[in-house]
């Protein structure tokens, strides 16, 4: 059994690398199209019979979850492919076949495709046409057991990914549409994604957004004072202002963080 599939991802490197993996190592899948956005993917679903979608989640304008109603109309299955494991619970609720973290591992990719093949077979033999989501739920529950706490972050750039230990991040600052990661080895990484996306990923892992342009890692917080507004000092000797409207949230986050340490 062969699956007709499309790839949906806004990052060129991710699209190309996943295509080459599937084309070279996954004979049960035929890629029928590659989309840069959910809108492009919708058009492909209208003009092609698609069994499977490899779907990124964090994309500009509309995230991958916006495509799910269209997939349901076409009886297609989805394998989420994302660098951000905070989406695992939503993927579970969406009853995806599987959930793969970037950079995609070839063995995990093949396992996910085997599940999609089984799922297609179940749909074909189900005379009531009522989907049985137990296969997807079991698969994602297994994945969730391995994704309890974020310890690494995959940061995309033009030629691939940088995989960071989150403890090495001192703070992240916004620069227009970019996020700049300041690291404990005095290095910097510039990523072409909004700070808001990383706030959603890091906010429950010991980080605090203290300003519209700054997220700090509380593990690197050295002290804070309120002589002229609330100022925090970090392990790299940088200082940052906590915006007035975020002071209460910051102090509560610090209290909870150190009570749980």
């Amino acid at each position: 059994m062969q699956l007709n599939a499309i790839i949906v991802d806004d990052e060129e490197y991710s699209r190309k690398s996943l295509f080459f993996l599937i084309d070279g190592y996954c004979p049960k899948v035929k890629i029928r199209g590659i989309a840069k956005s959910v809108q492009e993917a919708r058009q492909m679903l209208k003009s092609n019979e698609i069994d499977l979608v490899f779907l990124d989640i964090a994309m500009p304008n509309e995230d991958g979850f916006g495509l799910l109603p269209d997939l349901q109309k076409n009886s297609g299955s989805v394998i989420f492919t994302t660098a951000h494991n905070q989406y695992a619970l939503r993927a579970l609720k969406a009853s995806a076949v599987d959930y793969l973290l970037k950079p995609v591992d070839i063995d995990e990719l093949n396992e996910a495709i085997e599940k999609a093949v089984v799922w297609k077979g179940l749909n074909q033999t189900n005379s009531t046409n009522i989907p049985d989501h137990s296969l997807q739920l079991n698969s994602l529950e297994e994945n969730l057991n391995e994704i309890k706490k974020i310890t690494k972050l995959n940061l995309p750039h033009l030629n691939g990914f940088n995989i960071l230990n989150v403890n090495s991040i001192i703070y992240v600052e916004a620069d227009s549409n970019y996020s700049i990661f300041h690291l404990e080895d005095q290095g910097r990484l510039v990523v072409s994604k909004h700070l808001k996306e990383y706030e959603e990923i890091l906010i429950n892992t010991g980080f605090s957004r203290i300003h519209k342009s700054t997220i700090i890692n509380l593990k690197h917080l050295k002290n804070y004072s309120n002589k002229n507004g609330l100022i925090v000092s970090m392990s790299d000797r940088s200082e940052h202002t906590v915006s007035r409207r975020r002071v209460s949230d910051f102090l509560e986050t610090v209290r909870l963080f150190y009570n749980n340490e």
Side-chain angles (χ1 to χ4, degrees):
M1 181 185 296
Q2 188 173 64
L3 303 177
N4 293 320
I6 61 173
I7 295 170
V8 187
D9 199 308
D10 65 309
E11 294 168 356
E12 182 178 6
Y13 175 83
S14 297
R15 294 193 300 269
K16 287 182 176 179
S17 61
L18 183 56
F19 173 80
F20 288 129
L21 278 179
I22 294 169
D23 189 56
Y25 300 99
C26 306
K28 293 183 179 180
V29 175
K30 180 68 176 178
I31 299 298
R32 298 295 183 183
I34 300 178
K36 301 176 185 177
S37 67
V38 168
Q39 185 176 4
E40 284 187 17
R42 284 197 182 100
Q43 296 305 313
M44 290 181 182
L45 291 175
K46 289 179 181 178
S47 56
N48 298 275
E49 290 188 8
I50 300 300
D51 304 303
L52 178 63
V53 177
F54 293 93
L55 182 60
D56 186 26
I57 297 177
M59 292 184 284
N61 300 321
E62 188 175 7
D63 68 27
F65 289 104
L67 189 63
L68 295 184
D70 301 271
L71 281 171
Q72 291 168 357
K73 293 176 185 176
N74 289 271
S75 300
S77 297
V78 61
I79 295 174
F80 285 115
T81 58
T82 178
H84 306 322
N85 59 14
Q86 92 278 13
Y87 293 112
L89 183 58
R90 286 187 69 188
L92 173 61
K93 292 178 178 178
S95 298
V97 167
D98 214 332
Y99 177 95
L100 302 175
L101 288 176
K102 299 175 185 177
V104 174
D105 177 84
I106 183 61
D107 292 327
E108 293 177 356
L109 175 61
N110 273 310
E111 288 176 9
I113 288 170
E114 287 301 321
K115 293 171 187 174
V117 170
V118 173
W119 175 237
K120 182 178 180 181
L122 288 174
N123 269 345
Q124 289 178 342
T125 58
N126 187 347
S127 59
T128 63
N129 291 321
I130 299 173
D132 176 2
H133 292 305
S134 61
L135 178 67
Q136 294 101 309
L137 292 173
N138 289 338
S139 168
L140 284 164
E141 283 172 349
E142 291 172 5
N143 283 358
L144 282 170
N145 288 334
E146 300 173 2
I147 310 176
K148 291 294 185 183
K149 185 178 180 181
I150 296 173
T151 58
K152 295 186 182 297
L153 193 62
N154 300 335
L155 302 181
H157 55 75
L158 185 61
N159 298 312
F161 295 87
N162 283 99
I163 302 178
L164 292 183
N165 187 314
V166 295
N167 290 335
S168 70
I169 302 168
I170 298 175
Y171 66 97
V172 191
E173 65 175 332
D175 183 4
S176 185
N177 293 328
Y178 294 85
S179 296
I180 303 173
F181 287 74
H182 295 259
L183 309 176
E184 60 185 358
D185 62 359
Q186 298 186 337
R188 297 196 328 163
L189 283 175
V190 180
V191 182
S192 57
K193 285 187 179 293
H194 290 279
L195 190 67
K196 177 66 174 176
E197 292 191 27
Y198 293 108
E199 178 185 12
E200 293 173 354
I201 297 166
L202 296 170
I203 206 64
N204 293 318
T205 59
F207 286 74
S208 175
R209 187 161 187 172
I210 61 170
H211 191 275
K212 66 180 181 180
S213 62
T214 314
I215 298 172
I216 65 168
N217 186 348
L218 296 179
K219 294 182 177 67
H220 288 275
L221 176 65
K222 289 302 180 185
N223 59 68
Y224 55 90
S225 63
N226 58 1
K227 291 182 179 179
N228 297 299
L230 192 59
I231 305 294
V232 299
S233 299
M234 305 301 292
S235 62
D236 64 349
R237 299 183 180 179
S238 63
E239 294 187 342
H240 309 273
T241 300
V242 181
S243 67
R244 186 178 303 173
R245 71 183 188 89
R246 295 180 184 270
V247 168
S248 295
D249 286 344
F250 167 72
L251 294 174
E252 178 64 11
T253 302
V254 170
R255 185 187 69 80
L256 292 173
F257 176 76
Y258 286 104
N259 283 346
N260 293 327
E261 281 289 282

